[in-house]
Amino acid sequence: MLFLNVDVMVKADKNPALKDAIAHCDLSLMDGKPPLKVAQKRGIPLPEKVSGSDFVPAVCAMAEREGFSVFILGGKDGVPEMARDNLVAEHPGLKVVGAYSPMFGFEKDSAELEKINKMLVEAKPDILLACLSCPKQEIFVEGNRDIYRAPVSISCGATVDFLAGNVQRAPEWVSRAGIEWLYRFLKEPKRLFRRYFIDSWHFLAMCFKRSAQ
């Protein structure tokens, strides 16, 4: 499972491995107002935007009720552990069977990949929260899910930072208005400038290209 937004779509247009991972994903949810509106105008029946930062907490609440276990993979050092502690504090019955921050460049290190897969195999989570950033998380899941064999894998990026509490969510009215991107940009302008002010033009070019075909 993964979430589609402008950033993911632009990266997929440039990255064949990411594009392949999206094509083989069992469920993709639309996490962005611009692509949602484009899809709706083209007759694709998508009812609403679904963000990972809303979806994942709901999944964790469901996991607590149903007795499913969760493994948190990704985030900077200490972040997945903070996310785990906050989740367990909010959902005392939730089984978090692992929390791990991979080393930088893990995707190119066979020993680190083997270590991650071994942890997952031993922990046997029902749900893997892969918070490794795009495109690393999507490509990791596509290339390794048959090894670690978690029933459900969710590529959910920065959600780990929201769960850990070190990044504040936008107010609900901001999200409903479709300007959560602006709120996030004002919080992290250096990191998000390219995504919102350069890649967005590439997305528009993609839309025009598809319309012309």
Side-chain angles (χ1 to χ4, degrees):
M1 181 185 301
L2 55 82
F3 298 87
L4 292 174
N5 54 31
V6 170
D7 179 56
V8 175
M9 291 178 176
V10 168
K11 287 177 178 174
D13 195 50
K14 304 174 181 179
N15 188 324
L18 175 58
K19 190 173 184 178
D20 184 66
I22 293 172
H24 288 92
C25 181
D26 294 320
L27 177 63
S28 300
L29 299 176
M30 190 63 75
D31 180 11
K33 283 293 182 71
L36 176 66
K37 295 299 182 183
V38 170
Q40 290 173 337
K41 287 184 177 180
R42 296 189 176 190
I44 301 174
L46 298 176
E48 62 182 340
K49 168 182 174 289
V50 181
S51 67
S53 49
D54 289 324
F55 185 83
V56 170
V59 167
C60 290
M62 178 276 297
E64 179 189 27
R65 294 193 303 270
E66 301 297 330
F68 296 139
S69 60
V70 174
F71 193 110
I72 304 170
L73 177 67
K76 295 180 180 179
D77 285 344
V79 172
E81 290 81 7
M82 291 169 60
R84 174 199 61 201
D85 294 345
N86 288 343
L87 279 172
V88 172
E90 186 172 354
H91 305 286
L94 180 64
K95 295 183 290 186
V96 181
V97 294
Y100 181 66
S101 174
M103 60 178 280
F104 182 78
F106 76 93
E107 72 279 8
K108 300 176 183 177
D109 189 302
S110 59
E112 180 72 357
L113 285 171
E114 183 178 351
K115 177 181 176 181
I116 293 169
N117 279 314
K118 183 179 179 182
M119 281 193 296
L120 292 172
V121 168
E122 292 177 350
K124 298 180 180 178
D126 297 304
I127 302 169
L128 170 65
L129 302 181
C131 307
L132 303 166
S133 79
C134 178
K136 294 179 182 180
Q137 58 197 14
E138 292 85 1
I139 294 174
F140 169 79
V141 169
E142 173 63 16
N144 294 274
R145 59 182 176 180
D146 289 339
I147 300 174
Y148 63 76
R149 303 184 70 82
V152 176
S153 299
I154 305 177
S155 297
C156 47
T159 296
V160 68
D161 292 306
F162 295 123
L163 294 175
N166 59 355
V167 175
Q168 187 177 3
R169 282 293 312 276
E172 187 175 347
W173 70 267
V174 171
S175 182
R176 287 199 307 269
I179 55 174
E180 187 170 359
W181 68 270
L182 178 59
Y183 180 90
R184 291 190 64 189
F185 170 71
L186 293 175
K187 291 287 185 179
E188 301 179 88
K190 185 176 180 180
R191 185 176 76 85
L192 296 176
F193 177 83
R194 179 178 181 84
R195 177 186 299 186
Y196 293 135
F197 294 97
I198 297 178
D199 288 348
S200 57
W201 291 105
H202 187 105
F203 175 71
L204 287 175
M206 289 169 59
C207 293
F208 285 121
K209 180 180 177 181
R210 299 299 187 275
S211 297
Q213 291 177 346

